[in-house]
Amino acid sequence: MIKAIIFDFDGVIADTEELHFNCLRRILSEEGIWIDREMYNETYLALDDRSCFRKALSMAKLREIPPEKLEEFIHRKARLLQSCLTEVKLFPGIVESIKQFSSEVLLGICSGALRQEIMLVLQKHSLLEYFTAIITAEDVENSKPSPEGYLLALQQLQEKSGIPISALECIVIEDSVAGIAAAKAASMYCVAITNSYPKEKLYQADLILESITEFSLRKLQNYPK
């Protein structure tokens, strides 16, 4: 029996990946590091900001930067992104799906985005009330593909609802390869949406769909596993 659905945020609820890419590219370019969208999708898309900057600096063979410099990069990107978030669009059908699912099961979010970014978008679209647990980059030590965020989301769902829930009773909705790996490492059923990657890249998911509008809890037993 499914008791909870945990959504990724960027690339599943909000169409923000292009914004994240442009902000990251701008800051890295100021440090003499170049990335394109293909590199972003392959290497950075599922990472939180801290991991993105560490990975980029490591791949550029630059020396370890002081913690305060890393924090400066993170804050600069957050400021850039926040200036654009009021215009961000949600994926087609996601609002209706969230409202429908919330009448059937508990909902959570597990994302590598910053809490302030997520809250701003959810509040703008009047969606915050539908989520029992929200796990962000600030809440975990290890970003996806680590299962840490999804396991913490499960813990919060249990604590805030008072309902016992196992990982096997959770569905994760993801758009990235690393996100799918995180969900599967947490022993959760994973539905992948092809918003960011083609279907062939998402083969590790239990179910792959082109749109959230194709998914129904009532029909889950009819999908191939």
Side-chain angles (χ1 to χ4, degrees), residues 11-212:
V12 171
I13 294 176
D15 190 3
T16 53
E17 292 298 358
E18 187 69 17
L19 292 177
H20 279 285
F21 163 64
N22 287 331
C23 292
L24 181 66
R25 179 176 61 175
R26 176 173 168 180
I27 293 172
L28 289 177
S29 69
E30 293 170 359
E31 303 298 319
I33 301 172
W34 178 86
I35 63 169
D36 60 18
R37 185 57 196 264
E38 182 178 359
M39 293 169 62
Y40 175 81
N41 286 354
E42 290 294 326
T43 306
Y44 302 101
L45 189 145
L47 301 179
D48 59 26
D49 290 344
R50 188 178 307 278
S51 299
C52 279
F53 286 116
R54 282 177 173 164
K55 174 73 75 173
L57 293 166
S58 173
M59 292 177 69
K61 295 183 169 50
L62 298 180
R63 293 195 304 179
E64 186 76 21
I65 62 170
E68 59 271 18
K69 186 67 172 176
L70 183 59
E71 293 301 322
E72 178 193 327
F73 288 157
I74 293 170
H75 290 312
R76 282 165 58 190
K77 180 178 179 289
R79 286 195 297 270
L80 281 174
L81 185 66
Q82 192 168 2
S83 67
C84 307
L85 280 178
T86 54
E87 305 302 322
V88 85
K89 295 181 179 179
L90 304 186
F91 282 100
I94 192 66
V95 172
E96 295 79 7
S97 295
I98 287 171
K99 291 179 179 179
Q100 175 61 42
F101 295 153
S102 71
S103 68
E104 303 175 77
V105 296
L106 296 170
L107 301 187
I109 288 173
C110 175
S111 172
L114 298 176
R115 182 169 297 274
Q116 185 177 15
E117 298 166 1
I118 294 172
M119 299 297 276
L120 181 64
V121 174
L122 292 180
Q123 289 169 346
K124 179 182 185 317
H125 293 277
S126 302
L127 292 175
L128 183 58
E129 65 182 282
Y130 297 102
F131 293 96
T132 301
I134 298 177
I135 300 302
T136 70
E138 296 98 325
D139 300 315
V140 298
E141 291 292 327
N142 303 293
S143 60
K144 301 169 188 177
S146 167
E148 181 182 349
Y150 281 116
L151 294 174
L152 185 56
L154 172 58
Q155 180 183 329
Q156 279 199 10
L157 286 168
Q158 292 174 319
E159 291 174 350
K160 292 185 177 183
S161 69
I163 299 172
I165 309 169
S166 73
L168 296 176
E169 294 172 315
C170 293
I171 292 176
V172 166
I173 300 182
E174 266 287 352
D175 71 310
S176 73
V177 175
I180 294 168
K184 299 309 295 178
S187 299
M188 297 178 181
Y189 187 93
C190 186
V191 176
I193 309 295
T194 58
N195 289 337
S196 303
Y197 289 91
K199 183 175 182 178
E200 56 269 22
K201 293 272 191 179
L202 305 174
Y203 65 92
Q204 290 184 320
D206 296 290
L207 175 66
I208 305 172
L209 303 173
E210 292 185 1
S211 169
I212 191 66

